[in-house]
Amino acid sequence: MLLRSVKRFIGAYAAELGHVDAMVFTAGIGENDIELREKVCDNLGLMGVKIDKEKNNCRGQEVEITAPGASIRTFIIPTNEELMIAKDTQALVEAM
């Protein structure tokens, strides 16, 4: 169900935007689940998505995993949730 939902969102956003320059995998699952990234990108070739399986074989690293011949660049970009929580907390405290 997760895989199907992610692919539907990608397709819907691509249709809404009319053009896709890049796709980014981020946060816990996106930056750490090698198999999920591969399965999400399967069958997105008609959009121009193609990933390099060797480059995709990593976790928690900022890396481009686009395969040669792809027209949409694909990236893994780790998030820093702790930093965002700290910044949001600081903004709330300063606003009081």
Side-chain angles (χ1 to χ4, degrees), residues 32-79:
N32 293 303
D33 195 329
I34 297 164
E35 186 178 356
L36 179 80
R37 289 191 303 261
E38 186 175 326
K39 286 182 177 181
V40 165
C41 293
D42 283 348
N43 301 324
L44 293 181
L46 86 116
M47 284 179 44
V49 175
K50 184 177 176 186
I51 63 168
D52 182 305
K53 291 184 181 188
E54 284 186 35
K55 291 178 183 176
N56 184 48
N57 191 22
C58 67
R59 289 185 167 89
Q61 300 174 23
E62 186 169 324
V63 64
E64 182 172 356
I65 59 173
T66 308
S71 58
I72 294 177
R73 296 175 71 187
T74 307
F75 299 89
I76 302 167
I77 300 179
T79 56

Side-chain angles (χ1 to χ4, degrees), residues 5-15 20 23 25 40 44 47:
S5 295
V6 171
K7 285 187 173 192
R8 283 184 181 169
F9 274 107
I10 291 169
Y13 278 112
V20 178
M23 189 165 63
F25 289 95
V40 165
L44 293 181
M47 284 179 44

